[in-house]
Amino acid sequence: MAFTLEEIVRRFGGEVVGNAAQRVVSLAPLDQAGPQQLAFLANPKYLSQVETTAAGAVLIGADDLAKLASRDARNFIVTPNPYAYFARVAQAFIDLAAPKAEPGVHASAHVDPSAQVAATAVIGPNVTVEAGAVIGEHVRLDANVFVGRGTKIAAGSHLYPGVTVYHGCRIGERAIVHSGAVIGSDGFGFAPDFVGEGDARTGSWVKIPQVGGVSIGPDVEIGANTTIDRGAMADTVIDECVKIDNLVQIGHNCRIGAYTVIAGCAGIAGSTTIGRHCMIGGAVGIAGHVTLADYVIVTAQSGVSKSLRKPGMYTSAFPAIEHRDWNRSAALMRNLDKLRDRIKALEAAVAAQPSPGDD
Amino acid sequence: MAFTLEEIVRRFGGEVVGNAAQRVVSLAPLDQAGPQQLAFLANPKYLSQVETTAAGAVLIGADDLAKLASRDARNFIVTPNPYAYFARVAQAFIDLAAPKAEPGVHASAHVDPSAQVAATAVIGPNVTVEAGAVIGEHVRLDANVFVGRGTKIAAGSHLYPGVTVYHGCRIGERAIVHSGAVIGSDGFGFAPDFVGEGDARTGSWVKIPQVGGVSIGPDVEIGANTTIDRGAMADTVIDECVKIDNLVQIGHNCRIGAYTVIAGCAGIAGSTTIGRHCMIGGAVGIAGHVTLADYVIVTAQSGVSKSLRKPGMYTSAFPAIEHRDWNRSAALMRNLDKLRDRIKALEAAVAAQPSPGDD
Amino acid sequence: MAFTLEEIVRRFGGEVVGNAAQRVVSLAPLDQAGPQQLAFLANPKYLSQVETTAAGAVLIGADDLAKLASRDARNFIVTPNPYAYFARVAQAFIDLAAPKAEPGVHASAHVDPSAQVAATAVIGPNVTVEAGAVIGEHVRLDANVFVGRGTKIAAGSHLYPGVTVYHGCRIGERAIVHSGAVIGSDGFGFAPDFVGEGDARTGSWVKIPQVGGVSIGPDVEIGANTTIDRGAMADTVIDECVKIDNLVQIGHNCRIGAYTVIAGCAGIAGSTTIGRHCMIGGAVGIAGHVTLADYVIVTAQSGVSKSLRKPGMYTSAFPAIEHRDWNRSAALMRNLDKLRDRIKALEAAVAAQPSPGDD
């Protein structure tokens, strides 16, 4: 469970400066790393730590390496993106250390005879796979996962314990879905069928059947207890490499563009389209039937009620201040029209004054 | 799997105009429907699509039908509420197409001998039904559902995979509960039992036992991963035909009035009463111990901290604007008292001026 | 299933005033209690109810007892904190009444041979306990609970149905974790590895492996469907006696100080430290990498974007008002800079006026 620097660059790219035969056994921050550990410099403000680290080697950009006073007796892997490189190497160490799950279907799992399960898939305890479902190569379904009829889980995906995917959905290659996530629940749609007003109102809500599915692209990650509703007629669509945090709600018939990231507790109402490479902050709320352009950033806790057609950063949240100060300003805010009226009255009064040069 | 228009009106009401023997096999939007499909006109602005649709028949209101230039060679079902009618017919097609679950208890389910399970109920894999629970006719409990001791699930309800209902709760007829929903978890109540202040504080929080239940009326729908806490002494109550979206939190001893709809990510603190026919927007927060009248609408992301005694629409959320513009206004907002003081000073200065007619 | 007042004070402290042999069989509010019930006075404004209650005994503070016009023929337990005392006695009655779960492992549970399960633990149906996990004395794991490899659940804890705890986590003594909670899911961390801008952008997000765990202290309660992410390198830490409501998100590497309470729907981004004895209101959002001092209170729906270094109450939320009024003020709010400019112009105009005494 060790790699030489040469082995690392052969697999992940970059260039060794120093001793390519140096072995590393794990990763650590610059200020904590020892002689068998690999550290990384992602932020130039920690450059001085590179001078003093005991790390066996440091991942570094060429520019930062050039700034070092001395590189003697030190080893580096030079790469344009040390942070991403670090992430990839760290994953390799984890894959080495993690216990290998045996392919096969646990005796307590319920797999319908008409479902297709790849021989390399790992199906855990109490998993249910319904009729016609397709489970790809190397897929891992942990304990208590439910896969509804006709749903397809593509190769290399990992569904953690207790994930539920309703019928008629598709999950792309290498997806990671965390526990408690629910994919394909009914969208929230009801036709009002009421007659009369007030206490005399009669009638009811009529459920709109939700017959679309959810279609999720490759390399998507979905957080714990996140919910993604199935579409009403067509599918709800999550494009490739979208990353979604915990407790996020995505309504029916949304489309989330590739590479977009959505932080925890955000909620996106139905039929909304979000572009590619967007960043949606934590607890952001986005109304239904709006469109966000590519490269839109919405800061945490903001609310989007209309389409945002231009890339850029959007905000509507206030930071908390001391309660008493806030309340004073909030009271004035609710009466801004009165302040404006007083300004208007002043403007009229001043306009009616003889000007200084009138005499 | 086809209906004639005559069969449809016999079941759902309305009146055929045109060929009552016309058969339809599915539903589709006006602009996509073919000659064996049923479309609907809910919004008069799409009236022109009725003139050109290839649909085998169109659901339409009498007023809209009267506006058509020509109805020759076309078939209609005339109904006061085409959208609700569409929903009902769509559901009928789905019921025809869906695989029928066999009544009975799956071999892997754990049903306590003292529980009562109707012969027509469908109990899926790994379901647990505890002592004294009652499962009504045609109830469907999907994989991994948990029903606690003494809980009653009335006829026709469907609990999707992974729903948990604690002990001592009641769910009415024809409820739909989506995956991951938790009903009957403990309300959040603790008595402070601390002595001293600051670093010298000792003591602890003492849990208030939650011995009420949750009582849910008929025709309620509850979204994925929504949580409804049990009451402290009396029950938390959800009245008939309430519709609740995903990731909603309802605190202990709340009462939600009939026909009210609550959108995703909303949170309602304990002991709050919401009237009938209310509409609570997405991510709305409602404080504890307040009362909302019937027919109150709270728009998305707003916060309710006091009772709202009159029907109507209430709001406290801002729409996101460009980050820089927002920050400029937000800074002024935090200093509104200074703007007001400047206005006051101006008013005093202007009042001290001789008026134009003073000379 | 009855206690005499003498038995109660022997167990919970306090002093009987009146008949120590009086038996009580349950608890009830002052205005509903009968002669075999114990009531409590926590709020002095209900003192008059003590004069008229039919309760067999009343929990009361010494100060309030002294204010009573008459205490003849009545029984009291005098205690400094009647509400906390009530909670403890109520719990004792519940423990008496609740069916006792038999220690042991349900036949359908999957416990890895290398896991240690105490003989007094209760392991329910379909529970999975992975390799190397440790389940303490009197722990209760309800149906469908998942405990990952190497995770430790300390004595007396109760995990309700469907709780998931990933590998490598620790839960302290007497924890209560409600259904659907997910502990130890991956933190939300990705290194951007993109080249180029706009439509020409290529590359991807690289997942940062999350190799820390979650460490939870004793006497913690965690609400339904709450999520607590594992740390990236070090652990996410929840200190003793923290109380967390439903649908709360806690990001990776957060530390929540002892006795802090967090209400429903709150979200705390990664690497944030919250002090001891804080109160975080419902739906509050707290940014990542900030620090809250001990005894900080954040009111419901507020947003915290910077560290709050002083104890006290902080706010940034508005209460909902009528929609039309709100919209008028909100429009002015977005143009506060224009109001300010008009004030500036007025100030200049007034300054240019001859002062009243200039003549």
Side-chain angles (χ1 to χ4, degrees):
Chain A
M1 299 234 272
F3 293 108
T4 64
L5 301 187
E6 187 178 359
E7 285 166 344
I8 291 173
V9 298
R10 203 181 307 133
R11 180 154 167 201
F12 297 104
E15 184 189 350
V16 177
V17 172
N19 175 16
Q22 170 72 40
R23 294 167 75 83
V24 292
V25 300
S26 63
L27 293 99
L30 277 169
D31 58 347
Q32 296 171 25
Q36 291 216 301
Q37 288 183 301
L38 180 63
F40 69 98
L41 178 74
N43 186 334
K45 80 174 173 179
Y46 297 116
L47 191 66
S48 66
Q49 290 188 3
V50 179
E51 310 271 8
T52 58
T53 185
V58 178
L59 301 167
I60 196 167
D63 286 1
D64 288 326
L65 183 64
K67 290 182 203 150
L68 282 180
S70 158
R71 66 183 76 163
D72 293 353
R74 294 180 180 285
N75 307 309
F76 301 92
I77 293 174
V78 183
T79 164
N81 190 338
Y83 189 41
Y85 199 110
F86 153 77
R88 291 192 174 100
V89 177
Q91 190 61 54
F93 275 108
I94 288 167
D95 291 346
L96 271 181
K100 291 290 161 288
E102 286 295 313
V105 178
H106 192 277
S108 64
H110 308 287
V111 177
D112 188 275
S114 70
Q116 300 171 41
V117 177
T120 54
V122 181
I123 312 296
N126 308 320
V127 167
T128 300
V129 178
E130 289 198 331
V134 179
I135 310 298
E137 299 290 341
H138 301 286
V139 165
R140 188 169 148 192
L141 305 182
D142 288 344
N144 308 327
V145 164
F146 174 89
V147 177
R149 61 179 196 279
T151 284
K152 295 179 182 171
I153 314 286
S157 290
H158 183 181
L159 278 57
Y160 278 88
V163 167
T164 295
V165 189
Y166 282 51
H167 59 280
C169 298
R170 281 179 300 164
I171 296 185
E173 290 77 10
R174 297 171 301 279
I176 298 173
V177 186
H178 285 284
S179 290
V182 176
I183 296 169
S185 41
D186 282 352
F188 195 60
F190 302 91
D193 192 28
F194 295 101
V195 174
E197 295 297 324
D199 291 349
R201 200 181 199 189
T202 59
S204 192
W205 293 105
V206 182
K207 182 176 174 68
I208 309 293
Q210 305 289 307
V211 300
V214 177
S215 176
I216 295 179
D219 297 305
V220 167
E221 182 157 348
I222 296 171
N225 286 346
T226 280
T227 56
I228 303 177
D229 278 346
R230 67 192 311 109
M233 308 275 271
D235 283 0
T236 302
V237 178
I238 313 291
D239 282 335
E240 63 174 317
C241 209
V242 166
K243 308 296 185 183
I244 303 175
D245 199 355
N246 298 350
L247 290 170
V248 170
Q249 151 69 356
I250 297 182
H252 52 175
N253 297 106
C254 282
R255 177 168 199 134
I256 313 294
Y259 304 101
T260 285
V261 295
I262 304 176
C265 306
I268 304 173
S271 300
T272 278
T273 297
I274 295 183
R276 296 159 60 90
H277 296 290
C278 291
M279 305 184 78
I280 309 299
V284 162
I286 304 183
H289 298 274
V290 305
T291 298
L292 274 60
D294 296 348
Y295 293 97
V296 160
I297 298 168
V298 184
T299 63
Q301 282 202 313
S302 298
V304 177
S305 58
K306 292 182 183 166
S307 291
L308 302 175
R309 302 286 184 185
K310 288 196 311 184
M313 187 181 293
Y314 297 85
T315 299
S316 68
F318 292 96
I321 59 175
E322 287 192 32
H323 183 66
R324 192 189 316 196
D325 295 341
W326 175 265
N327 277 0
R328 194 172 46 225
S329 289
L332 289 165
M333 148 74 197
R334 276 194 297 279
N335 292 293
L336 270 181
D337 50 343
K338 291 181 191 155
L339 285 190
R340 182 206 45 200
D341 292 346
R342 286 163 70 179
I343 293 172
K344 269 192 201 168
L346 281 164
E347 287 169 336
V350 167
Q353 293 279 353
S355 75
D358 272 3
D359 300 295
Chain B
M1 299 237 273
F3 294 107
T4 64
L5 300 187
E6 186 178 1
E7 284 165 345
I8 291 173
V9 298
R10 203 182 306 134
R11 180 156 168 199
F12 296 104
E15 186 188 351
V16 176
V17 171
N19 175 18
Q22 169 75 40
R23 296 167 73 84
V24 290
V25 300
S26 63
L27 293 98
L30 277 169
D31 58 348
Q32 296 171 24
Q36 291 216 299
Q37 288 182 301
L38 181 62
F40 70 99
L41 177 73
N43 186 334
K45 80 173 174 182
Y46 298 115
L47 191 66
S48 67
Q49 291 188 2
V50 179
E51 310 271 9
T52 58
T53 185
V58 177
L59 301 167
I60 194 167
D63 286 2
D64 288 326
L65 183 64
K67 289 181 203 149
L68 282 180
S70 157
R71 65 183 75 164
D72 292 353
R74 294 182 181 282
N75 307 309
F76 301 92
I77 292 176
V78 183
T79 166
N81 190 338
Y83 189 41
Y85 199 109
F86 152 77
R88 291 191 174 100
V89 177
Q91 190 61 54
F93 275 107
I94 289 168
D95 291 346
L96 271 181
K100 290 292 161 285
E102 286 295 313
V105 177
H106 193 277
S108 65
H110 309 287
V111 178
D112 188 274
S114 71
Q116 299 171 40
V117 178
T120 53
V122 182
I123 312 296
N126 308 319
V127 167
T128 300
V129 178
E130 289 197 331
V134 179
I135 310 298
E137 298 291 341
H138 300 288
V139 165
R140 189 168 148 192
L141 304 182
D142 287 345
N144 307 327
V145 164
F146 175 89
V147 177
R149 60 180 196 277
T151 284
K152 294 178 183 173
I153 314 286
S157 290
H158 182 183
L159 278 56
Y160 278 88
V163 167
T164 294
V165 189
Y166 281 52
H167 59 281
C169 297
R170 282 179 300 165
I171 296 185
E173 290 76 11
R174 298 171 301 278
I176 298 172
V177 186
H178 284 284
S179 289
V182 176
I183 296 169
S185 42
D186 281 352
F188 196 61
F190 302 90
D193 193 27
F194 294 101
V195 174
E197 296 296 326
D199 290 349
R201 199 181 200 188
T202 59
S204 192
W205 293 103
V206 182
K207 181 175 174 69
I208 309 292
Q210 305 290 307
V211 300
V214 177
S215 177
I216 296 179
D219 297 307
V220 168
E221 182 157 348
I222 296 172
N225 286 346
T226 279
T227 57
I228 303 177
D229 278 348
R230 65 193 312 107
M233 308 275 272
D235 283 1
T236 303
V237 178
I238 313 291
D239 282 335
E240 62 174 321
C241 209
V242 166
K243 307 296 185 186
I244 303 175
D245 199 353
N246 298 350
L247 290 171
V248 170
Q249 150 69 355
I250 296 182
H252 53 175
N253 297 106
C254 281
R255 176 167 199 134
I256 313 295
Y259 305 101
T260 285
V261 295
I262 304 177
C265 306
I268 304 173
S271 299
T272 278
T273 297
I274 296 183
R276 295 159 60 89
H277 296 292
C278 292
M279 304 183 79
I280 309 299
V284 162
I286 304 182
H289 298 273
V290 304
T291 298
L292 273 60
D294 296 349
Y295 293 96
V296 161
I297 297 168
V298 184
T299 63
Q301 281 201 314
S302 297
V304 177
S305 58
K306 293 181 181 166
S307 292
L308 302 175
R309 302 287 184 183
K310 289 196 310 183
M313 188 182 291
Y314 297 85
T315 299
S316 69
F318 292 96
I321 58 176
E322 286 191 34
H323 184 66
R324 192 189 317 198
D325 294 340
W326 176 265
N327 277 1
R328 193 172 46 223
S329 289
L332 288 166
M333 149 73 197
R334 277 195 296 277
N335 291 294
L336 270 182
D337 50 343
K338 292 181 190 156
L339 284 190
R340 181 206 46 200
D341 292 347
R342 286 164 70 179
I343 294 172
K344 269 191 202 169
L346 281 165
E347 287 169 335
V350 166
Q353 294 280 354
S355 77
D358 271 3
D359 301 296
Chain C
M1 301 236 274
F3 294 107
T4 65
L5 301 186
E6 188 179 359
E7 285 166 345
I8 291 173
V9 299
R10 203 182 307 136
R11 179 155 168 200
F12 297 105
E15 186 189 349
V16 176
V17 172
N19 176 17
Q22 170 74 40
R23 295 167 73 84
V24 292
V25 300
S26 62
L27 293 99
L30 277 169
D31 58 347
Q32 296 171 25
Q36 291 216 300
Q37 289 183 301
L38 181 62
F40 70 100
L41 177 72
N43 186 336
K45 79 174 175 182
Y46 298 116
L47 192 66
S48 66
Q49 290 187 1
V50 180
E51 311 271 9
T52 58
T53 185
V58 178
L59 301 167
I60 195 168
D63 286 2
D64 288 327
L65 183 64
K67 289 181 203 150
L68 282 179
S70 158
R71 67 182 75 162
D72 294 353
R74 294 179 182 285
N75 306 308
F76 301 93
I77 292 175
V78 183
T79 166
N81 190 338
Y83 189 41
Y85 199 110
F86 152 78
R88 291 191 175 100
V89 177
Q91 190 61 54
F93 275 108
I94 288 167
D95 291 347
L96 272 180
K100 292 290 161 288
E102 287 295 312
V105 177
H106 193 278
S108 65
H110 308 288
V111 178
D112 188 275
S114 71
Q116 300 171 42
V117 178
T120 54
V122 181
I123 312 297
N126 307 321
V127 167
T128 300
V129 178
E130 290 197 330
V134 179
I135 311 298
E137 298 290 342
H138 301 287
V139 165
R140 190 169 146 191
L141 305 182
D142 288 345
N144 307 329
V145 164
F146 174 89
V147 177
R149 60 180 196 278
T151 284
K152 295 178 182 173
I153 315 286
S157 290
H158 183 182
L159 278 56
Y160 278 88
V163 167
T164 295
V165 188
Y166 281 52
H167 61 280
C169 298
R170 282 178 301 164
I171 296 185
E173 289 77 10
R174 298 171 300 280
I176 297 172
V177 186
H178 285 285
S179 290
V182 176
I183 297 169
S185 41
D186 282 352
F188 195 61
F190 301 91
D193 193 28
F194 294 100
V195 174
E197 297 296 324
D199 291 349
R201 201 180 197 188
T202 59
S204 193
W205 293 104
V206 182
K207 181 175 175 66
I208 309 292
Q210 305 289 307
V211 300
V214 177
S215 176
I216 295 179
D219 298 306
V220 168
E221 183 157 346
I222 296 172
N225 285 347
T226 279
T227 56
I228 303 178
D229 278 347
R230 66 191 313 109
M233 308 275 273
D235 283 1
T236 302
V237 178
I238 313 291
D239 283 335
E240 62 174 322
C241 209
V242 166
K243 307 296 185 185
I244 304 175
D245 199 355
N246 298 350
L247 290 172
V248 171
Q249 150 71 355
I250 297 183
H252 53 173
N253 297 106
C254 282
R255 176 167 200 135
I256 313 295
Y259 305 102
T260 285
V261 295
I262 304 177
C265 306
I268 304 173
S271 299
T272 278
T273 296
I274 295 183
R276 296 159 61 89
H277 296 291
C278 291
M279 304 184 78
I280 308 300
V284 162
I286 304 182
H289 298 273
V290 304
T291 298
L292 273 61
D294 296 348
Y295 293 97
V296 161
I297 297 168
V298 185
T299 63
Q301 280 201 313
S302 297
V304 178
S305 59
K306 293 182 182 166
S307 292
L308 302 174
R309 302 285 183 183
K310 290 196 310 182
M313 187 181 292
Y314 297 85
T315 298
S316 69
F318 293 96
I321 58 176
E322 287 191 32
H323 184 66
R324 192 190 317 197
D325 294 341
W326 175 265
N327 277 0
R328 194 172 46 224
S329 289
L332 288 165
M333 149 74 197
R334 276 194 297 277
N335 290 293
L336 270 182
D337 50 342
K338 291 181 190 155
L339 285 191
R340 182 204 47 199
D341 292 347
R342 286 164 70 179
I343 294 171
K344 268 192 202 168
L346 281 164
E347 287 169 336
V350 167
Q353 293 283 352
S355 75
D358 271 4
D359 300 295

